[in-house]
Amino acid sequence: MSAAKQKGRVRIVGGSLRGRLLTVPTEVRPTSARARETLFNWLAPIVPGARCLDLFAGAGALGLEALSRGAADCIFVESRRQPARMLRRVLADWDVAGSVELADAVEWLGRAQRGGQDPANIVFLDPPFETHLSARCCKLLAGNGWLADNCRLYLEANKRDPSPELPSGLEIFRQTVVGEVRMMLAGWGNKA
C-alpha cells in the first residue's frame, strides 16, 4: 500500500505543494483525491489570486489544494481543537498564506465581520453529511457579504441527500457523483 493510501493521510494532488502528505485526524472525512482533482479542474480559471473560505475545514485538504494552486489566501474554519491545531501547524510548516478560526462555522458566519477583507472568490462548504448545514451556511454567506460577485461555492453532500436550498440568485452550475459523494459547484446565476 502506498503512503498516500495509508489511513490517516491524503496527498495534495496539484500545484506547488503537489505530493505533500497531509495527516488527517481520525474524526475527519477528507475529500478524496479524485474528487479534489475534479473540483480543481472546474475551478482552474479562478483559483490564481483567489480569496478562499474553507468551512468545516477538517484537515484543510480543500483550502490547502487551493493555496497549492495559486490562491492568495484561505481562512479555515474548524470547530474541533485537534484538527484546528494540526492545520495551524501545517500552515506554518508549509509556509502558506492562511489562518485558522477555531469556531463552529454557522456561528462564526453569523457573528464574524470581514474586517476590511475582500469577499471570498471561492468557498468550500463540506459539513458532516448528517448535519444538513449547507443551506444555513449558504444563507449566511449570501446575506452577510462574504461572497464576491464572481464567487464559486463548492458544496459536498451524501449522494442520497437532496440538493440544499440556495438563496435567491445562487444556482448550481455543475455537479457529479464520486463514490458516495455528490459534488456541486454553485455561483451567482446572473453573474456567471
Side-chain angles (χ1 to χ4, degrees), residues 26-142:
T26 56
E27 67 269 28
V28 169
R29 175 195 44 82
T31 301
S32 73
R34 182 174 160 212
R36 281 183 282 126
E37 190 66 45
T38 297
L39 170 61
F40 284 92
N41 284 339
W42 292 350
L43 293 174
I46 66 165
V47 171
R51 298 194 178 283
C52 303
L53 276 177
D54 190 349
L55 303 172
F56 307 94
L62 293 171
L64 288 165
E65 194 76 52
L67 291 169
S68 179
R69 294 167 185 253
D73 61 48
C74 186
I75 299 171
F76 298 85
V77 181
E78 174 54 49
S79 64
R80 296 162 293 187
R81 288 190 189 285
Q82 181 188 8
R85 185 172 36 251
M86 291 174 76
L87 187 48
R88 282 188 182 111
R89 188 169 40 247
V90 167
L91 292 173
D93 290 349
W94 292 6
D95 193 28
V96 291
S99 61
V100 178
E101 296 287 336
L102 177 60
D104 175 89
V106 174
E107 290 176 15
W108 186 80
L109 287 171
R111 67 176 153 77
Q113 300 296 316
R114 286 189 292 113
Q117 283 185 292
D118 292 332
N121 306 108
I122 301 171
V123 177
F124 303 106
L125 184 52
D126 180 15
F129 289 168
E130 66 278 0
T131 62
H132 306 288
L133 291 171
S134 293
R136 273 179 77 190
C137 288
C138 287
K139 185 176 179 181
L140 289 166
L141 285 162

Side-chain angles (χ1 to χ4, degrees), residues 1-34:
M1 176 181 283
S2 73
K5 292 190 178 199
Q6 291 175 0
K7 186 176 179 178
R9 301 189 110 181
V10 295
R11 186 179 304 277
I12 301 298
V13 296
S16 64
L17 303 172
R18 182 180 182 176
R20 293 210 187 180
L21 290 173
L22 181 62
T23 301
V24 179
T26 56
E27 67 269 28
V28 169
R29 175 195 44 82
T31 301
S32 73
R34 182 174 160 212

